[in-house]
Amino acid sequence: MTSMDVPLEGAGGRRRAAVAKAVAKPRLTWLTLAFMTTSSVASLRASPTMAVYGLACIFLYVVPAIVFLLPTALVSAELASGWDGGVYNWVAQGLSKRLGFLAVWCQFAMTIFYYPTLLGYVASTIAYVINPQLADNGLYTAIVIMVVYWSGVWISSRGTSGVGGMASFGLIIGTLIPGVLLVVLGIVFLGQGNPSAAPMNAGSIFPQWTGVASLVLIVNNFLSYSGMEMNAVHVSSLKNPGKEFPKSMFLAMGLVLLIFILPALAISWVVPSAQLSLTAGVMQAFDAFFQYFSIGWLTPLVAVGLVAASVGGMLTWLAGPSKGLLMISRQEGYLPPYLQKLNKNGVQQNILVAQGAVTTLIALMYALIPSVSGAYWIFSVITTQVYLIMYLLMFVAAMRLRKLQPDHPRGFRAPLLGPLCVMGLLASAAAMVIGFVPSSQFGSGSVWSYVLIIAGGLLLLGFLIPFGFLKARKPSWRRADGEPAAEGGA
């Protein structure tokens, strides 16, 4: 080595160190994070659910945004800025590893019922291109769910790199453009003197009180706002998290509310609540507007956009939660070796296949439950109930960590953490209780059958299965660090 080699190597080392530092701490603007959060939370799929209430949907969206969305965003931001590893590590550090597994399991397990509801919406949307009468056909809905889901498993198992791009493209053509079009058509429709199908007077601002059942639909809005804890991991990428993150979240909350509320109102203007389908409501509104304005040729184009957004979202969610569960299970040995195996592309295909088997059984229930809207609502409630277990654990863990580790470095400290956690806990607990009360639209059905289905789904998916894995856990299930990613497996 010559004397000139040393400074050259040192300069190169400094350059590499500078590059590594830049890569290790990517920066996001608060505006970018707000848009990222909006795109991951907002969707048109839930609009028909609240359109049933007409003008009162504003109240029913704003209340859970204040008591659930805001606490979730701020509390998860503090946790993400102080502890890596997501919800598992937050709960494991604040409570216990076993409860940490329960939390990450619920985050994964809720997708088992999420996919049938999402793809039930896809089936109804496709029906408006083929034959609108199929939208309420249970057998047709079940077939579409199974075909689209297993196609998604095949795509994900190949490790396709374009899934993220497809999801982003789907957001634009399947959420933003249709949402704006729906609202514009609704405004023009009313502007031409047509009466609204739902009352739009001051007396309709609050939902009519006909008992607890009249407010049951609000429980679905908690799931509409779910996922904020996933976006909180980006808080450390902000230049000034303490000031920028709250600003980002308030902007995101405003945008999400607009995307949720305005299309729901537009649907209520043209489709009477008695005729509204919870799965096909968006296409019902588009079809009514297109027929009125004599532009029915747009129906297939809008349907394709809505389907693209939903399928893109499914592909994004398909591998994400299951991958998080896999990583924790390989480190701690929570799942049996078969479910820990990866295919040649490094994808947890065995978990996806096992999940698909359950999803297929659930899809068949669409063919057995008389009303597709009824099946959609039941699965939505079970999804929410299971996910709420994770949020209950997260709020308790946050309070414990602030008490047990007050000096632990955090990039962001949530203001009034205690009251925020208590509000989030009470809201989540109330949502779970309300979820056991049948919606007013199920008045002619069996109340006890509804309660038993919800309770059975929550007990089985949210408690019995994860604790069964914990009880059966063996030391040999733990994978050594550095083990090759690709293994044999189905």
Side-chain angles (χ1 to χ4, degrees):
M1 181 181 296
T2 66
S3 59
M4 295 182 64
D5 290 332
V6 176
L8 286 175
E9 184 179 1
R14 286 193 295 272
R15 282 195 296 271
R16 286 192 295 272
V19 172
K21 183 178 181 181
V23 172
K25 293 185 177 182
R27 290 298 181 191
L28 284 177
T29 66
W30 68 272
L31 195 59
T32 300
L33 183 57
F35 290 147
M36 288 172 60
T37 303
T38 302
S39 66
S40 64
V41 174
S43 170
L44 297 181
R45 184 170 63 91
S47 298
T49 306
M50 287 297 108
V52 172
Y53 283 92
L55 193 61
C57 75
I58 299 175
F59 172 82
L60 296 174
Y61 267 124
V62 171
V63 170
I66 294 173
V67 303
F68 180 76
L69 174 61
L70 192 59
T72 299
L74 296 179
V75 171
S76 61
E78 172 167 329
L79 294 172
S81 69
W83 291 269
D84 295 330
V87 68
Y88 169 78
N89 196 37
W90 304 343
V91 177
Q93 292 277 346
L95 299 174
S96 71
K97 285 189 174 183
R98 292 170 67 89
L99 291 177
F101 172 71
L102 176 60
V104 77
W105 167 265
C106 289
Q107 194 178 53
F108 158 76
M110 78 92 178
T111 63
I112 295 175
F113 285 93
Y114 169 76
Y115 296 130
T117 59
L118 174 67
L119 298 181
Y121 164 75
V122 168
S124 297
T125 302
I126 295 175
Y128 269 80
V129 180
I130 305 172
N131 179 0
Q133 292 183 349
L134 289 174
D136 203 38
N137 185 300
L139 180 59
Y140 157 80
T141 301
I143 292 173
V144 172
I145 291 173
M146 289 185 285
V147 170
V148 177
Y149 177 83
W150 286 107
S151 298
V153 170
W154 181 79
I155 293 172
S156 297
S157 67
R158 297 173 65 86
T160 305
S161 58
V163 169
M166 181 178 178
S168 300
F169 180 68
L171 168 71
I172 296 172
I173 70 168
T175 298
L176 298 182
I177 294 177
V180 171
L181 179 61
L182 189 63
V183 174
V184 170
L185 290 175
I187 293 174
V188 174
F189 176 79
L190 293 181
Q192 292 185 350
N194 294 289
S196 169
M200 289 290 132
N201 50 49
S204 304
I205 295 177
F206 299 103
Q208 293 183 352
W209 180 255
T210 58
V212 178
S214 65
L215 288 177
V216 169
L217 282 174
I218 198 172
V219 75
N220 201 43
N221 287 354
F222 283 76
L223 183 62
S224 298
Y225 292 130
S226 64
M228 294 298 294
E229 77 283 355
M230 297 180 185
N231 292 285
V233 299
H234 299 294
V235 67
S236 59
S237 298
L238 296 172
K239 186 177 181 180
N240 187 346
K243 292 183 178 180
E244 293 182 340
F245 188 80
K247 189 161 55 172
S248 174
M249 287 302 101
F250 279 116
L251 175 60
M253 189 166 71
L255 292 174
V256 167
L257 284 172
L258 287 176
I259 293 174
F260 279 151
I261 292 172
L262 295 182
L265 285 175
I267 292 172
S268 72
W269 294 337
V270 72
V271 183
S273 61
Q275 302 174 16
L276 190 61
S277 166
L278 297 188
T279 56
V282 175
M283 286 308 300
Q284 281 181 308
F286 272 119
D287 189 56
F289 283 135
F290 290 163
Q291 294 302 322
Y292 174 80
F293 291 107
S294 300
I295 51 175
W297 56 271
L298 280 176
T299 299
L301 296 179
V302 170
V304 169
L306 295 174
V307 169
S310 297
V311 173
M314 184 198 76
L315 291 174
T316 301
W317 275 84
L318 196 58
S322 60
K323 186 173 182 179
L325 176 66
L326 174 81
M327 292 174 62
I328 296 303
S329 298
R330 288 172 71 89
Q331 293 172 12
E332 302 291 340
Y334 290 126
L335 295 180
Y338 174 79
L339 293 177
Q340 294 186 34
K341 291 181 179 179
L342 309 179
N343 66 10
K344 62 181 181 181
N345 296 311
V347 176
Q348 59 281 9
Q349 184 170 314
N350 288 10
I351 290 182
L352 296 181
V353 169
Q355 181 179 356
V358 180
T359 300
T360 299
L361 292 176
I362 296 172
L364 292 175
M365 292 183 68
Y366 273 93
L368 301 176
I369 297 178
S371 167
V372 170
S373 288
Y376 176 89
W377 176 250
I378 288 173
F379 295 144
S380 293
V381 173
I382 293 175
T383 301
T384 305
Q385 299 285 66
V386 172
Y387 210 15
L388 285 172
I389 296 173
M390 184 274 293
Y391 283 114
L392 289 170
L393 293 171
M394 186 188 78
F395 287 125
V396 174
M399 289 190 290
R400 291 268 299 164
L401 285 170
R402 181 69 78 90
K403 181 179 180 180
L404 298 176
Q405 303 181 35
D407 299 324
H408 183 88
R410 298 161 169 84
F412 172 79
R413 296 182 73 90
L416 302 174
L417 180 77
L420 280 175
C421 288
V422 171
M423 183 164 62
L425 277 169
L426 293 177
S428 299
M432 292 193 76
V433 173
I434 291 174
F436 286 101
V437 181
S439 170
S440 54
Q441 68 194 93
F442 294 102
S444 59
S446 171
V447 173
W448 284 111
S449 295
Y450 177 89
V451 171
L452 288 175
I453 291 174
I454 301 299
L458 175 62
L459 182 64
L460 177 65
L461 202 60
F463 294 100
L464 295 182
I465 294 178
F467 283 111
F469 281 128
L470 288 172
K471 187 173 181 60
R473 181 184 177 196
K474 300 177 182 178
S476 60
W477 289 6
R478 181 177 295 182
R479 298 280 175 165
D481 292 339
E483 186 169 343
E487 306 170 9

